[in-house]
Amino acid sequence: APLKSLFDQRRLAIIHATGSPDNTRSHFDAQDYMELGTPGVKNTPDGWLSRCLTKNGDAAAPFRAVALTARLPRILAGSARALTMTSVEEFRFRNESFATTLQKLYATSGDPLMQGGAKSLFEGMAVLKKIADSIPSATESYPAGRFGGSLREISRLIKADIGLEIAFTEIEGWDTHANQGGPSGQMANRLKELAEGLSAFYGDLGDRMEDVVLITLSEFGRTARENGNLGTDHGHANVMFVLGGSVKGGKVYGRWPGLEPEVLYEGRDLNLTTDFRAVCGEILSHHMGQKDLGRVFPGYKLPARPLGIVA
């Protein structure tokens, strides 16, 4: 419901029957494939957002990429600089003398990755320290919990104009194998939290959303039928939401395969008709000016006819 008005305003596009073409039902493999951008290939050394960053913009800017997560996600792992944080206020050392000692220690490390990571960390802290008092607060009420809080902090970083190009966060709790529930169950609660967070983020940024595109991704959908535990199991295809920028919303994209038993994938799941890389590639190309999509998604050829999500 919180997304309905954005869809009516043609600011939200929905892509159904989408996901990774690999047929694994392992969470770990499926998430790796989606974050690496190479379904079926686990030895890819970096994530696809990191590969995008290495070809675009100022590689020295500490806040080009930020993950509001406990650790750097694989999608941002690689040679491009990326930071992890929980909030603007917490991204600092409480003890300045300890920070100075740690900075000297990292500077003498013989490991270039260690040196690079430390450089990004300390430069990022220095940038935020200078502008801490001028970073705007949120103007919208975000849902309680880590997801809403992360979106709020991303919005603040965007408003701070410190060179943010890519931000990442996550919302968990979708593995509803048992007691999934109806309109007030655990799945409905996750959907409510997701929708409220996205709606608040959109409203908080206001006119700045013209320069922002938000994409949702998930490694699985759920099975088309309930299991014996009143839940659903890992499903093949899923749904993606895209909102903001010059997104041509108010429409459901992709080919809907149907839910008849004879067209379900392996007799149990929504069948996949749109590779997630087709959606992300179109956004990277049109919104971020990424020209070398073959490098971002190696081995994948974008469809000859784009979905047309972006004007």
Side-chain angles (χ1 to χ4, degrees):
L3 297 178
K4 177 67 163 55
S5 63
L6 295 180
F7 187 81
D8 291 342
Q9 295 168 39
R10 302 184 183 277
R11 306 307 309 232
L12 168 68
I14 299 171
I15 307 93
H16 234 313
T18 185
S20 169
D22 189 84
N23 62 3
T24 183
R25 294 190 185 273
S26 161
H27 270 305
F28 306 103
D29 288 346
Q31 187 165 339
D32 281 349
Y33 293 153
M34 185 158 276
E35 294 197 36
L36 296 173
T38 53
V41 180
K42 288 207 71 171
N43 61 356
T44 306
D46 47 11
W48 62 266
L49 281 180
S50 180
R51 294 193 292 274
C52 175
L53 283 167
T54 57
K55 301 295 282 187
N56 279 10
D58 178 11
F63 278 97
R64 289 187 70 208
V66 173
L68 275 292
T69 51
R71 61 185 63 84
L72 188 71
R74 296 198 72 170
I75 200 169
L76 280 171
S79 58
R81 299 173 70 175
L83 293 170
T84 60
M85 60 191 300
T86 54
S87 72
V88 169
E89 282 74 22
E90 291 296 318
F91 193 64
R92 61 186 175 87
F93 285 107
R94 290 179 173 83
N95 187 312
E96 290 293 336
S97 62
F98 175 71
T100 302
T101 301
L102 196 62
Q103 192 168 7
K104 291 178 180 177
L105 179 64
Y106 278 115
T108 59
S109 169
D111 186 340
L113 287 178
M114 188 76 75
Q115 284 187 342
K119 188 173 186 290
S120 294
L121 173 66
F122 289 110
E123 286 183 1
M125 287 183 173
V127 168
L128 279 192
K129 186 177 181 180
K130 287 181 181 179
I131 64 170
D133 295 335
S134 61
I135 297 178
S137 299
T139 59
E140 295 283 326
S141 177
Y142 287 83
R146 195 177 74 177
F147 177 65
S150 296
L151 287 177
R152 181 184 62 243
E153 296 305 303
I154 291 171
S155 174
R156 295 180 68 197
L157 291 172
I158 292 171
K159 294 175 185 178
D161 292 322
I162 52 178
L164 185 66
E165 292 182 40
I166 290 174
F168 176 95
T169 191
E170 60 190 1
I171 177 171
E172 299 177 330
W174 303 95
D175 212 14
T176 54
H177 292 283
N179 301 316
Q180 181 169 297
S184 60
Q186 55 177 318
M187 173 68 86
N189 290 336
R190 291 286 71 72
L191 289 168
K192 182 174 182 287
E193 183 181 0
L194 174 69
E196 287 179 347
L198 298 183
S199 178
F201 180 80
Y202 189 97
D204 196 5
L205 285 178
D207 291 342
R208 287 178 181 267
M209 277 303 300
E210 296 299 324
D211 299 320
V212 176
V213 172
L214 187 151
I215 306 173
T216 67
L217 283 168
S218 179
E219 78 274 23
F220 285 129
R222 309 304 299 176
T223 47
R225 298 187 191 90
E226 186 177 78
N227 62 29
N229 295 317
L230 304 180
T232 53
D233 299 310
H234 300 169
H236 191 46
N238 203 345
V239 64
M240 293 176 66
F241 296 144
V242 180
L243 67 154
S246 53
V247 172
K248 295 162 65 176
K251 180 179 176 181
V252 177
Y253 290 83
R255 182 177 63 83
W256 175 249
L259 292 173
E260 292 77 14
E262 63 272 16
V263 298
L264 291 178
Y265 178 75
E266 295 184 346
R268 51 182 276 173
D269 308 334
L270 177 66
N271 208 352
L272 187 145
T273 61
T274 300
D275 192 307
F276 79 96
R277 292 171 292 184
V279 180
C280 297
E282 189 170 319
I283 301 300
L284 293 181
S285 176
H286 288 76
H287 182 70
M288 297 191 69
Q290 174 59 244
K291 304 301 181 185
D292 191 3
L293 289 174
R295 188 179 185 281
V296 177
F297 296 119
Y300 176 68
K301 186 176 181 181
L302 288 167
R305 177 180 293 180
L307 291 165
I309 298 169
V310 183

